[in-house]
Amino acid sequence: MDTLLHILSGMRWQDIADITLNSYILFRLYVLFRGTYVLRVLIGIALLWFFQRIAVMLGLIVTSWLTQGIIALAAFIIIVVFRNEIRGVLQAKNFKSIFWGIPQKKAITSIDIIAESAFELAQKRIGALIVLPGKEDLEEFVQKGVSWQGSISKEMIMSIFWPDNPVHDGAAVIQGDRIIDVGCILPLSRREDLPSSYGTRHRAALGLSENTDAIVIVVSEESGKVMLAKGSRPRPIDRGSKLKQKLLEHAGRSGKGLHVYRREKLEIGAAAIVSISLMTAVWFSVSRGLDTLMTLEVPIEYMNRNPAKEIFDTTVNSVNLKLAGSGSLLKTIQPEQARVRINLDKAVNGPNAFTITQDNIELPPGVILKEVKPPVIEVTLDVLANKELPIQVDWVGKLSDHLILVAVRLDPEKITLVGGKQILEDISTIYTEKIPLDNIKKSGKISANLALNPASLKIATGFKNKITIDYVVAER
Amino acid sequence: MKYCNSLFLVVLLAVPGVFLTQTTKALAESGITSTDIDPVPVRAVICEELKDRLPKNEAIVFSITNGRVYCYTDFDPVYKNTHIYHNWFRRDILTAKVKLSLKPPRWSTFSYISLRNTDKGPWRVEITGPEGYILQTLRFSITD
């Protein structure tokens, strides 16, 4: 209990927002895709991931490798296989419905129209085949006829199935309050136990209802009877109210509507709770998992430097950050996600000591700073200055005992250097690179480079790094 | 050999002139100006040894095996009793500051350092007046 209170007291408002936002996204995905196979496949993938973790734990190399591969392809598979369902969600007429509200399955008014139209067609002995899709995609089973995309009305239904209409023999697909397609061809049922009175229309209706969750209304031209095909069972319907009842049931708003409505509310509520619980669990496992420590070397960034001042020296160029957090978080941390910044706006010329605190460090959320090494850094700032300095040769080695190096002439004798003002103040001579004496047997001339120390010193424009040394040796 | 000797002679003759030029420049650079009563250096050299109070084996490179290095300076005229300094620098670090007295009308004086193995490298001696202005700078190296 104490641990739980400790964890909860350590939560920031960002953590609450993080869990809430992701829970809502998960909940909306459920709401938008409920009833479709997408959700089932997602659950399947989750189970596959769980299976893969177990396989890894047990050391089943090939199994874990294969499941990992399938999971990696899952996103691609979902997009390809469920493109229609995804498109259906994204092409919603009201964009707001993606983010808010619970979509109603069907409009009640259209059910009334369909039921009334079916019995009027029956009364007039006009054959009809009306498909009301469920949650499943029918594209695989229905051969599309003519795209209609018209608002539903009794007159419209009557005219579609009017014997002189070229599309009257096909099926009409009605979704919500719209007639989507007409003249569609349905697969025929191959069952042999059907009554002999059933014609092609009945077989077509059953052919579709057996394979999908759609229901199909059949109006017999010969008998003037209405039959409803749902699943593999044909149901004769003798009155309009009964048909309406069945259609409402299919729409999830049957006569037992209150019960169904409550069940739906319960289902949505449960989905919301599951989403929150799942995201909270994921959040805790990611950000509050087993504590792991790691050390990250991060380069120091300097900001707000006065343009007139230059950084001439620093004690270190990077610091080691000892970080703590859950293993999964620390494993994914990239070096560029951690930043150490030093504000130089108050820095003065010369050495400046900065203590690196939490304010100087930027870390990904959930990662805790334990230690900084070194905790203090020194940055030397200076203004640029020029100084003319005499050059001196740095002789090394040994001159032959019988020789004396009596004179030397340098060209140039002096050079102008550019560097930090304070650094230049402490320098009164610039030396050449080391010139060996061992090979000198007589007077001569050599050229040499200058040894610029510290390296921040630069030779002023117009001067060369190379100088000529004209030396004179004499016998003792 | 004859050529070498002639060149050596030319160098020796040219040295005092170069020194005087350098002295003037050094004074100008230091920002401190010499007065009319300051001693005037006519000769300043670094040498291996002194023989009969005169420098012997003037050079710009000295072996550590010599044991010592001398800085010899000759002033003419010296207007009054005064003193100068020989400031010995290894690279830019002052390692010895020797105060030397001068007396009218002419005075020669010297200082020296004993060499240790750690003294190898480029050196300079700054000869300064009593007020600290640089009269002359001599540069040399200590090697193996």
Side-chain angles (χ1 to χ4, degrees), chain A residues 390 392 394 397 405-406 414 428-429 431 476, chain B residues 29 48 60-61 91-92 123-124 139-140 143-144:
Chain A
Q392 184 172 348
D394 187 2
L405 189 52
V406 290
K414 292 185 175 182
S428 54
T429 307
Y431 301 97
R476 283 184 185 275
Chain B
E29 282 165 11
E48 286 182 354
I60 54 164
V61 170
R91 292 196 176 266
D92 281 331
W123 283 73
R124 73 173 189 271
R139 296 176 186 278
F140 63 99
T143 62
D144 293 337

mmCIF file with all atom_site columns, all heavy atoms in Angstrom, chain A residues 390 392 394 397 405-406 414 428-429 431 476, chain B residues 29 48 60-61 91-92 123-124 139-140 143-144:
data_model
loop_
_atom_site.group_PDB
_atom_site.id
_atom_site.type_symbol
_atom_site.label_atom_id
_atom_site.label_alt_id
_atom_site.label_comp_id
_atom_site.label_asym_id
_atom_site.label_entity_id
_atom_site.label_seq_id
_atom_site.pdbx_PDB_ins_code
_atom_site.Cartn_x
_atom_site.Cartn_y
_atom_site.Cartn_z
_atom_site.occupancy
_atom_site.B_iso_or_equiv
_atom_site.pdbx_formal_charge
_atom_site.auth_seq_id
_atom_site.auth_comp_id
_atom_site.auth_asym_id
_atom_site.auth_atom_id
_atom_site.pdbx_PDB_model_num
ATOM 1   N N   . PRO A 1 390 ? 58.222 38.027 -30.879 1.00 0.00 ? 390 PRO A N   1
ATOM 2   C CA  . PRO A 1 390 ? 59.481 37.599 -31.489 1.00 0.00 ? 390 PRO A CA  1
ATOM 3   C C   . PRO A 1 390 ? 59.515 36.080 -31.615 1.00 0.00 ? 390 PRO A C   1
ATOM 4   O O   . PRO A 1 390 ? 58.912 35.382 -30.807 1.00 0.00 ? 390 PRO A O   1
ATOM 5   C CB  . PRO A 1 390 ? 60.537 38.099 -30.500 1.00 0.00 ? 390 PRO A CB  1
ATOM 6   C CG  . PRO A 1 390 ? 59.828 38.221 -29.213 1.00 0.00 ? 390 PRO A CG  1
ATOM 7   C CD  . PRO A 1 390 ? 58.391 38.529 -29.511 1.00 0.00 ? 390 PRO A CD  1
ATOM 8   N N   . GLN A 1 392 ? 61.667 32.531 -31.699 1.00 0.00 ? 392 GLN A N   1
ATOM 9   C CA  . GLN A 1 392 ? 62.939 31.943 -31.229 1.00 0.00 ? 392 GLN A CA  1
ATOM 10  C C   . GLN A 1 392 ? 62.996 30.484 -31.671 1.00 0.00 ? 392 GLN A C   1
ATOM 11  O O   . GLN A 1 392 ? 61.979 29.770 -31.601 1.00 0.00 ? 392 GLN A O   1
ATOM 12  C CB  . GLN A 1 392 ? 63.038 32.036 -29.710 1.00 0.00 ? 392 GLN A CB  1
ATOM 13  C CG  . GLN A 1 392 ? 64.376 31.542 -29.192 1.00 0.00 ? 392 GLN A CG  1
ATOM 14  C CD  . GLN A 1 392 ? 64.585 31.797 -27.709 1.00 0.00 ? 392 GLN A CD  1
ATOM 15  O OE1 . GLN A 1 392 ? 63.832 32.542 -27.087 1.00 0.00 ? 392 GLN A OE1 1
ATOM 16  N NE2 . GLN A 1 392 ? 65.611 31.210 -27.136 1.00 0.00 ? 392 GLN A NE2 1
ATOM 17  N N   . ASP A 1 394 ? 63.791 26.635 -31.409 1.00 0.00 ? 394 ASP A N   1
ATOM 18  C CA  . ASP A 1 394 ? 63.874 25.647 -30.321 1.00 0.00 ? 394 ASP A CA  1
ATOM 19  C C   . ASP A 1 394 ? 64.828 24.534 -30.771 1.00 0.00 ? 394 ASP A C   1
ATOM 20  O O   . ASP A 1 394 ? 64.427 23.567 -31.386 1.00 0.00 ? 394 ASP A O   1
ATOM 21  C CB  . ASP A 1 394 ? 62.469 25.103 -30.042 1.00 0.00 ? 394 ASP A CB  1
ATOM 22  C CG  . ASP A 1 394 ? 62.437 24.209 -28.819 1.00 0.00 ? 394 ASP A CG  1
ATOM 23  O OD1 . ASP A 1 394 ? 63.493 24.056 -28.174 1.00 0.00 ? 394 ASP A OD1 1
ATOM 24  O OD2 . ASP A 1 394 ? 61.354 23.678 -28.508 1.00 0.00 ? 394 ASP A OD2 1
ATOM 25  N N   . GLY A 1 397 ? 68.943 18.285 -29.488 1.00 0.00 ? 397 GLY A N   1
ATOM 26  C CA  . GLY A 1 397 ? 69.994 17.374 -29.935 1.00 0.00 ? 397 GLY A CA  1
ATOM 27  C C   . GLY A 1 397 ? 71.361 17.879 -29.505 1.00 0.00 ? 397 GLY A C   1
ATOM 28  O O   . GLY A 1 397 ? 71.481 18.665 -28.554 1.00 0.00 ? 397 GLY A O   1
ATOM 29  N N   . LEU A 1 405 ? 77.560 27.201 -32.638 1.00 0.00 ? 405 LEU A N   1
ATOM 30  C CA  . LEU A 1 405 ? 76.519 27.904 -33.391 1.00 0.00 ? 405 LEU A CA  1
ATOM 31  C C   . LEU A 1 405 ? 76.549 29.347 -32.913 1.00 0.00 ? 405 LEU A C   1
ATOM 32  O O   . LEU A 1 405 ? 76.114 29.657 -31.797 1.00 0.00 ? 405 LEU A O   1
ATOM 33  C CB  . LEU A 1 405 ? 75.163 27.247 -33.118 1.00 0.00 ? 405 LEU A CB  1
ATOM 34  C CG  . LEU A 1 405 ? 73.976 27.675 -33.959 1.00 0.00 ? 405 LEU A CG  1
ATOM 35  C CD1 . LEU A 1 405 ? 74.251 27.605 -35.447 1.00 0.00 ? 405 LEU A CD1 1
ATOM 36  C CD2 . LEU A 1 405 ? 72.768 26.814 -33.653 1.00 0.00 ? 405 LEU A CD2 1
ATOM 37  N N   . VAL A 1 406 ? 77.110 30.208 -33.732 1.00 0.00 ? 406 VAL A N   1
ATOM 38  C CA  . VAL A 1 406 ? 77.402 31.557 -33.258 1.00 0.00 ? 406 VAL A CA  1
ATOM 39  C C   . VAL A 1 406 ? 76.315 32.576 -33.582 1.00 0.00 ? 406 VAL A C   1
ATOM 40  O O   . VAL A 1 406 ? 76.182 33.584 -32.880 1.00 0.00 ? 406 VAL A O   1
ATOM 41  C CB  . VAL A 1 406 ? 78.752 32.070 -33.823 1.00 0.00 ? 406 VAL A CB  1
ATOM 42  C CG1 . VAL A 1 406 ? 79.898 31.323 -33.195 1.00 0.00 ? 406 VAL A CG1 1
ATOM 43  C CG2 . VAL A 1 406 ? 78.781 31.999 -35.326 1.00 0.00 ? 406 VAL A CG2 1
ATOM 44  N N   . LYS A 1 414 ? 59.700 38.442 -36.419 1.00 0.00 ? 414 LYS A N   1
ATOM 45  C CA  . LYS A 1 414 ? 58.511 38.542 -35.561 1.00 0.00 ? 414 LYS A CA  1
ATOM 46  C C   . LYS A 1 414 ? 57.283 38.113 -36.349 1.00 0.00 ? 414 LYS A C   1
ATOM 47  O O   . LYS A 1 414 ? 57.281 38.141 -37.577 1.00 0.00 ? 414 LYS A O   1
ATOM 48  C CB  . LYS A 1 414 ? 58.327 39.981 -35.080 1.00 0.00 ? 414 LYS A CB  1
ATOM 49  C CG  . LYS A 1 414 ? 59.418 40.417 -34.116 1.00 0.00 ? 414 LYS A CG  1
ATOM 50  C CD  . LYS A 1 414 ? 59.154 41.786 -33.572 1.00 0.00 ? 414 LYS A CD  1
ATOM 51  C CE  . LYS A 1 414 ? 60.195 42.123 -32.513 1.00 0.00 ? 414 LYS A CE  1
ATOM 52  N NZ  . LYS A 1 414 ? 59.939 43.423 -31.923 1.00 0.00 ? 414 LYS A NZ  1
ATOM 53  N N   . SER A 1 428 ? 55.383 35.833 -24.402 1.00 0.00 ? 428 SER A N   1
ATOM 54  C CA  . SER A 1 428 ? 56.275 36.894 -24.893 1.00 0.00 ? 428 SER A CA  1
ATOM 55  C C   . SER A 1 428 ? 57.151 36.409 -26.044 1.00 0.00 ? 428 SER A C   1
ATOM 56  O O   . SER A 1 428 ? 57.838 37.209 -26.670 1.00 0.00 ? 428 SER A O   1
ATOM 57  C CB  . SER A 1 428 ? 57.142 37.424 -23.750 1.00 0.00 ? 428 SER A CB  1
ATOM 58  O OG  . SER A 1 428 ? 57.803 36.347 -23.155 1.00 0.00 ? 428 SER A OG  1
ATOM 59  N N   . THR A 1 429 ? 57.127 35.109 -26.320 1.00 0.00 ? 429 THR A N   1
ATOM 60  C CA  . THR A 1 429 ? 57.936 34.561 -27.417 1.00 0.00 ? 429 THR A CA  1
ATOM 61  C C   . THR A 1 429 ? 57.158 33.433 -28.077 1.00 0.00 ? 429 THR A C   1
ATOM 62  O O   . THR A 1 429 ? 56.440 32.696 -27.393 1.00 0.00 ? 429 THR A O   1
ATOM 63  C CB  . THR A 1 429 ? 59.261 33.979 -26.875 1.00 0.00 ? 429 THR A CB  1
ATOM 64  O OG1 . THR A 1 429 ? 59.913 34.970 -26.088 1.00 0.00 ? 429 THR A OG1 1
ATOM 65  C CG2 . THR A 1 429 ? 60.183 33.541 -27.993 1.00 0.00 ? 429 THR A CG2 1
ATOM 66  N N   . TYR A 1 431 ? 57.834 30.030 -30.307 1.00 0.00 ? 431 TYR A N   1
ATOM 67  C CA  . TYR A 1 431 ? 58.956 29.149 -30.633 1.00 0.00 ? 431 TYR A CA  1
ATOM 68  C C   . TYR A 1 431 ? 58.679 28.362 -31.913 1.00 0.00 ? 431 TYR A C   1
ATOM 69  O O   . TYR A 1 431 ? 57.520 28.149 -32.279 1.00 0.00 ? 431 TYR A O   1
ATOM 70  C CB  . TYR A 1 431 ? 59.226 28.182 -29.476 1.00 0.00 ? 431 TYR A CB  1
ATOM 71  C CG  . TYR A 1 431 ? 59.550 28.905 -28.196 1.00 0.00 ? 431 TYR A CG  1
ATOM 72  C CD1 . TYR A 1 431 ? 58.576 29.152 -27.234 1.00 0.00 ? 431 TYR A CD1 1
ATOM 73  C CD2 . TYR A 1 431 ? 60.841 29.387 -27.969 1.00 0.00 ? 431 TYR A CD2 1
ATOM 74  C CE1 . TYR A 1 431 ? 58.870 29.842 -26.082 1.00 0.00 ? 431 TYR A CE1 1
ATOM 75  C CE2 . TYR A 1 431 ? 61.144 30.090 -26.801 1.00 0.00 ? 431 TYR A CE2 1
ATOM 76  C CZ  . TYR A 1 431 ? 60.155 30.318 -25.861 1.00 0.00 ? 431 TYR A CZ  1
ATOM 77  O OH  . TYR A 1 431 ? 60.448 31.018 -24.727 1.00 0.00 ? 431 TYR A OH  1
ATOM 78  N N   . ARG A 1 476 ? 85.702 25.733 -33.251 1.00 0.00 ? 476 ARG A N   1
ATOM 79  C CA  . ARG A 1 476 ? 86.174 26.240 -31.953 1.00 0.00 ? 476 ARG A CA  1
ATOM 80  C C   . ARG A 1 476 ? 87.619 26.713 -32.043 1.00 0.00 ? 476 ARG A C   1
ATOM 81  O O   . ARG A 1 476 ? 88.413 26.146 -32.758 1.00 0.00 ? 476 ARG A O   1
ATOM 82  C CB  . ARG A 1 476 ? 86.096 25.120 -30.900 1.00 0.00 ? 476 ARG A CB  1
ATOM 83  C CG  . ARG A 1 476 ? 84.703 24.898 -30.412 1.00 0.00 ? 476 ARG A CG  1
ATOM 84  C CD  . ARG A 1 476 ? 84.690 23.851 -29.319 1.00 0.00 ? 476 ARG A CD  1
ATOM 85  N NE  . ARG A 1 476 ? 83.308 23.574 -28.958 1.00 0.00 ? 476 ARG A NE  1
ATOM 86  C CZ  . ARG A 1 476 ? 82.631 24.312 -28.072 1.00 0.00 ? 476 ARG A CZ  1
ATOM 87  N NH1 . ARG A 1 476 ? 83.210 25.318 -27.443 1.00 0.00 ? 476 ARG A NH1 1
ATOM 88  N NH2 . ARG A 1 476 ? 81.383 24.018 -27.812 1.00 0.00 ? 476 ARG A NH2 1
ATOM 89  N N   . GLU B 2 29  ? 59.080 49.095 -27.142 1.00 0.00 ? 29  GLU B N   1
ATOM 90  C CA  . GLU B 2 29  ? 58.024 48.096 -26.954 1.00 0.00 ? 29  GLU B CA  1
ATOM 91  C C   . GLU B 2 29  ? 57.556 48.022 -25.511 1.00 0.00 ? 29  GLU B C   1
ATOM 92  O O   . GLU B 2 29  ? 56.377 47.846 -25.222 1.00 0.00 ? 29  GLU B O   1
ATOM 93  C CB  . GLU B 2 29  ? 58.528 46.708 -27.373 1.00 0.00 ? 29  GLU B CB  1
ATOM 94  C CG  . GLU B 2 29  ? 58.530 46.520 -28.876 1.00 0.00 ? 29  GLU B CG  1
ATOM 95  C CD  . GLU B 2 29  ? 59.362 45.313 -29.289 1.00 0.00 ? 29  GLU B CD  1
ATOM 96  O OE1 . GLU B 2 29  ? 59.750 44.529 -28.410 1.00 0.00 ? 29  GLU B OE1 1
ATOM 97  O OE2 . GLU B 2 29  ? 59.620 45.191 -30.490 1.00 0.00 ? 29  GLU B OE2 1
ATOM 98  N N   . GLU B 2 48  ? 80.242 30.670 -23.241 1.00 0.00 ? 48  GLU B N   1
ATOM 99  C CA  . GLU B 2 48  ? 80.501 29.436 -22.493 1.00 0.00 ? 48  GLU B CA  1
ATOM 100 C C   . GLU B 2 48  ? 81.306 29.698 -21.227 1.00 0.00 ? 48  GLU B C   1
ATOM 101 O O   . GLU B 2 48  ? 81.142 29.029 -20.213 1.00 0.00 ? 48  GLU B O   1
ATOM 102 C CB  . GLU B 2 48  ? 81.262 28.440 -23.381 1.00 0.00 ? 48  GLU B CB  1
ATOM 103 C CG  . GLU B 2 48  ? 80.391 27.799 -24.444 1.00 0.00 ? 48  GLU B CG  1
ATOM 104 C CD  . GLU B 2 48  ? 81.155 26.783 -25.285 1.00 0.00 ? 48  GLU B CD  1
ATOM 105 O OE1 . GLU B 2 48  ? 82.380 26.661 -25.127 1.00 0.00 ? 48  GLU B OE1 1
ATOM 106 O OE2 . GLU B 2 48  ? 80.511 26.128 -26.125 1.00 0.00 ? 48  GLU B OE2 1
ATOM 107 N N   . ILE B 2 60  ? 74.842 30.725 -29.487 1.00 0.00 ? 60  ILE B N   1
ATOM 108 C CA  . ILE B 2 60  ? 73.387 30.755 -29.225 1.00 0.00 ? 60  ILE B CA  1
ATOM 109 C C   . ILE B 2 60  ? 72.873 29.353 -28.861 1.00 0.00 ? 60  ILE B C   1
ATOM 110 O O   . ILE B 2 60  ? 71.702 29.202 -28.556 1.00 0.00 ? 60  ILE B O   1
ATOM 111 C CB  . ILE B 2 60  ? 72.593 31.313 -30.430 1.00 0.00 ? 60  ILE B CB  1
ATOM 112 C CG1 . ILE B 2 60  ? 72.938 30.552 -31.695 1.00 0.00 ? 60  ILE B CG1 1
ATOM 113 C CG2 . ILE B 2 60  ? 72.793 32.801 -30.594 1.00 0.00 ? 60  ILE B CG2 1
ATOM 114 C CD1 . ILE B 2 60  ? 71.945 30.779 -32.790 1.00 0.00 ? 60  ILE B CD1 1
ATOM 115 N N   . VAL B 2 61  ? 73.756 28.359 -28.929 1.00 0.00 ? 61  VAL B N   1
ATOM 116 C CA  . VAL B 2 61  ? 73.395 27.010 -28.486 1.00 0.00 ? 61  VAL B CA  1
ATOM 117 C C   . VAL B 2 61  ? 74.489 26.528 -27.547 1.00 0.00 ? 61  VAL B C   1
ATOM 118 O O   . VAL B 2 61  ? 75.678 26.627 -27.876 1.00 0.00 ? 61  VAL B O   1
ATOM 119 C CB  . VAL B 2 61  ? 73.247 26.043 -29.677 1.00 0.00 ? 61  VAL B CB  1
ATOM 120 C CG1 . VAL B 2 61  ? 73.127 24.609 -29.197 1.00 0.00 ? 61  VAL B CG1 1
ATOM 121 C CG2 . VAL B 2 61  ? 72.018 26.407 -30.512 1.00 0.00 ? 61  VAL B CG2 1
ATOM 122 N N   . ARG B 2 91  ? 61.940 29.326 -21.433 1.00 0.00 ? 91  ARG B N   1
ATOM 123 C CA  . ARG B 2 91  ? 60.677 29.623 -22.142 1.00 0.00 ? 91  ARG B CA  1
ATOM 124 C C   . ARG B 2 91  ? 60.149 30.943 -21.568 1.00 0.00 ? 91  ARG B C   1
ATOM 125 O O   . ARG B 2 91  ? 60.874 31.915 -21.566 1.00 0.00 ? 91  ARG B O   1
ATOM 126 C CB  . ARG B 2 91  ? 59.677 28.465 -22.035 1.00 0.00 ? 91  ARG B CB  1
ATOM 127 C CG  . ARG B 2 91  ? 60.165 27.235 -22.805 1.00 0.00 ? 91  ARG B CG  1
ATOM 128 C CD  . ARG B 2 91  ? 59.103 26.211 -23.072 1.00 0.00 ? 91  ARG B CD  1
ATOM 129 N NE  . ARG B 2 91  ? 59.650 25.129 -23.888 1.00 0.00 ? 91  ARG B NE  1
ATOM 130 C CZ  . ARG B 2 91  ? 59.568 25.086 -25.210 1.00 0.00 ? 91  ARG B CZ  1
ATOM 131 N NH1 . ARG B 2 91  ? 58.935 26.029 -25.865 1.00 0.00 ? 91  ARG B NH1 1
ATOM 132 N NH2 . ARG B 2 91  ? 60.109 24.079 -25.888 1.00 0.00 ? 91  ARG B NH2 1
ATOM 133 N N   . ASP B 2 92  ? 58.949 31.013 -21.057 1.00 0.00 ? 92  ASP B N   1
ATOM 134 C CA  . ASP B 2 92  ? 58.469 32.309 -20.552 1.00 0.00 ? 92  ASP B CA  1
ATOM 135 C C   . ASP B 2 92  ? 58.463 32.345 -19.024 1.00 0.00 ? 92  ASP B C   1
ATOM 136 O O   . ASP B 2 92  ? 57.804 33.201 -18.434 1.00 0.00 ? 92  ASP B O   1
ATOM 137 C CB  . ASP B 2 92  ? 57.064 32.582 -21.107 1.00 0.00 ? 92  ASP B CB  1
ATOM 138 C CG  . ASP B 2 92  ? 57.126 33.078 -22.540 1.00 0.00 ? 92  ASP B CG  1
ATOM 139 O OD1 . ASP B 2 92  ? 58.142 33.707 -22.900 1.00 0.00 ? 92  ASP B OD1 1
ATOM 140 O OD2 . ASP B 2 92  ? 56.182 32.815 -23.301 1.00 0.00 ? 92  ASP B OD2 1
ATOM 141 N N   . TRP B 2 123 ? 65.958 29.564 -24.079 1.00 0.00 ? 123 TRP B N   1
ATOM 142 C CA  . TRP B 2 123 ? 66.127 30.505 -22.962 1.00 0.00 ? 123 TRP B CA  1
ATOM 143 C C   . TRP B 2 123 ? 66.226 31.924 -23.525 1.00 0.00 ? 123 TRP B C   1
ATOM 144 O O   . TRP B 2 123 ? 66.529 32.120 -24.691 1.00 0.00 ? 123 TRP B O   1
ATOM 145 C CB  . TRP B 2 123 ? 67.431 30.218 -22.194 1.00 0.00 ? 123 TRP B CB  1
ATOM 146 C CG  . TRP B 2 123 ? 67.359 29.035 -21.263 1.00 0.00 ? 123 TRP B CG  1
ATOM 147 C CD1 . TRP B 2 123 ? 67.342 27.738 -21.630 1.00 0.00 ? 123 TRP B CD1 1
ATOM 148 C CD2 . TRP B 2 123 ? 67.326 29.078 -19.843 1.00 0.00 ? 123 TRP B CD2 1
ATOM 149 N NE1 . TRP B 2 123 ? 67.304 26.925 -20.516 1.00 0.00 ? 123 TRP B NE1 1
ATOM 150 C CE2 . TRP B 2 123 ? 67.287 27.741 -19.401 1.00 0.00 ? 123 TRP B CE2 1
ATOM 151 C CE3 . TRP B 2 123 ? 67.326 30.098 -18.890 1.00 0.00 ? 123 TRP B CE3 1
ATOM 152 C CZ2 . TRP B 2 123 ? 67.257 27.397 -18.041 1.00 0.00 ? 123 TRP B CZ2 1
ATOM 153 C CZ3 . TRP B 2 123 ? 67.298 29.746 -17.546 1.00 0.00 ? 123 TRP B CZ3 1
ATOM 154 C CH2 . TRP B 2 123 ? 67.252 28.402 -17.117 1.00 0.00 ? 123 TRP B CH2 1
ATOM 155 N N   . ARG B 2 124 ? 66.028 32.887 -22.611 1.00 0.00 ? 124 ARG B N   1
ATOM 156 C CA  . ARG B 2 124 ? 66.348 34.270 -22.958 1.00 0.00 ? 124 ARG B CA  1
ATOM 157 C C   . ARG B 2 124 ? 66.791 34.986 -21.686 1.00 0.00 ? 124 ARG B C   1
ATOM 158 O O   . ARG B 2 124 ? 66.391 34.594 -20.569 1.00 0.00 ? 124 ARG B O   1
ATOM 159 C CB  . ARG B 2 124 ? 65.162 34.984 -23.623 1.00 0.00 ? 124 ARG B CB  1
ATOM 160 C CG  . ARG B 2 124 ? 64.028 35.343 -22.717 1.00 0.00 ? 124 ARG B CG  1
ATOM 161 C CD  . ARG B 2 124 ? 63.001 36.192 -23.479 1.00 0.00 ? 124 ARG B CD  1
ATOM 162 N NE  . ARG B 2 124 ? 62.001 36.745 -22.583 1.00 0.00 ? 124 ARG B NE  1
ATOM 163 C CZ  . ARG B 2 124 ? 60.861 36.149 -22.251 1.00 0.00 ? 124 ARG B CZ  1
ATOM 164 N NH1 . ARG B 2 124 ? 60.581 34.946 -22.742 1.00 0.00 ? 124 ARG B NH1 1
ATOM 165 N NH2 . ARG B 2 124 ? 60.017 36.740 -21.429 1.00 0.00 ? 124 ARG B NH2 1
ATOM 166 N N   . ARG B 2 139 ? 68.858 35.725 -26.739 1.00 0.00 ? 139 ARG B N   1
ATOM 167 C CA  . ARG B 2 139 ? 68.154 34.436 -26.847 1.00 0.00 ? 139 ARG B CA  1
ATOM 168 C C   . ARG B 2 139 ? 69.161 33.330 -27.134 1.00 0.00 ? 139 ARG B C   1
ATOM 169 O O   . ARG B 2 139 ? 70.075 33.512 -27.940 1.00 0.00 ? 139 ARG B O   1
ATOM 170 C CB  . ARG B 2 139 ? 67.098 34.490 -27.956 1.00 0.00 ? 139 ARG B CB  1
ATOM 171 C CG  . ARG B 2 139 ? 65.998 35.497 -27.654 1.00 0.00 ? 139 ARG B CG  1
ATOM 172 C CD  . ARG B 2 139 ? 64.993 35.618 -28.792 1.00 0.00 ? 139 ARG B CD  1
ATOM 173 N NE  . ARG B 2 139 ? 64.058 36.713 -28.496 1.00 0.00 ? 139 ARG B NE  1
ATOM 174 C CZ  . ARG B 2 139 ? 62.999 36.586 -27.709 1.00 0.00 ? 139 ARG B CZ  1
ATOM 175 N NH1 . ARG B 2 139 ? 62.730 35.408 -27.167 1.00 0.00 ? 139 ARG B NH1 1
ATOM 176 N NH2 . ARG B 2 139 ? 62.216 37.610 -27.480 1.00 0.00 ? 139 ARG B NH2 1
ATOM 177 N N   . PHE B 2 140 ? 68.964 32.180 -26.496 1.00 0.00 ? 140 PHE B N   1
ATOM 178 C CA  . PHE B 2 140 ? 69.849 31.043 -26.724 1.00 0.00 ? 140 PHE B CA  1
ATOM 179 C C   . PHE B 2 140 ? 69.116 29.754 -26.332 1.00 0.00 ? 140 PHE B C   1
ATOM 180 O O   . PHE B 2 140 ? 68.006 29.807 -25.817 1.00 0.00 ? 140 PHE B O   1
ATOM 181 C CB  . PHE B 2 140 ? 71.146 31.192 -25.919 1.00 0.00 ? 140 PHE B CB  1
ATOM 182 C CG  . PHE B 2 140 ? 70.936 31.212 -24.423 1.00 0.00 ? 140 PHE B CG  1
ATOM 183 C CD1 . PHE B 2 140 ? 71.140 30.069 -23.667 1.00 0.00 ? 140 PHE B CD1 1
ATOM 184 C CD2 . PHE B 2 140 ? 70.520 32.373 -23.774 1.00 0.00 ? 140 PHE B CD2 1
ATOM 185 C CE1 . PHE B 2 140 ? 70.929 30.080 -22.294 1.00 0.00 ? 140 PHE B CE1 1
ATOM 186 C CE2 . PHE B 2 140 ? 70.303 32.391 -22.400 1.00 0.00 ? 140 PHE B CE2 1
ATOM 187 C CZ  . PHE B 2 140 ? 70.507 31.243 -21.662 1.00 0.00 ? 140 PHE B CZ  1
ATOM 188 N N   . THR B 2 143 ? 71.018 22.583 -24.922 1.00 0.00 ? 143 THR B N   1
ATOM 189 C CA  . THR B 2 143 ? 70.712 21.291 -25.565 1.00 0.00 ? 143 THR B CA  1
ATOM 190 C C   . THR B 2 143 ? 71.555 20.185 -24.928 1.00 0.00 ? 143 THR B C   1
ATOM 191 O O   . THR B 2 143 ? 72.253 20.422 -23.952 1.00 0.00 ? 143 THR B O   1
ATOM 192 C CB  . THR B 2 143 ? 70.986 21.368 -27.077 1.00 0.00 ? 143 THR B CB  1
ATOM 193 O OG1 . THR B 2 143 ? 72.367 21.643 -27.258 1.00 0.00 ? 143 THR B OG1 1
ATOM 194 C CG2 . THR B 2 143 ? 70.162 22.462 -27.747 1.00 0.00 ? 143 THR B CG2 1
ATOM 195 N N   . ASP B 2 144 ? 71.481 18.998 -25.540 1.00 0.00 ? 144 ASP B N   1
ATOM 196 C CA  . ASP B 2 144 ? 72.186 17.821 -24.981 1.00 0.00 ? 144 ASP B CA  1
ATOM 197 C C   . ASP B 2 144 ? 73.687 18.082 -24.845 1.00 0.00 ? 144 ASP B C   1
ATOM 198 O O   . ASP B 2 144 ? 74.270 18.780 -25.648 1.00 0.00 ? 144 ASP B O   1
ATOM 199 C CB  . ASP B 2 144 ? 71.973 16.604 -25.887 1.00 0.00 ? 144 ASP B CB  1
ATOM 200 C CG  . ASP B 2 144 ? 70.517 16.191 -25.847 1.00 0.00 ? 144 ASP B CG  1
ATOM 201 O OD1 . ASP B 2 144 ? 69.830 16.522 -24.846 1.00 0.00 ? 144 ASP B OD1 1
ATOM 202 O OD2 . ASP B 2 144 ? 70.048 15.563 -26.825 1.00 0.00 ? 144 ASP B OD2 1
#
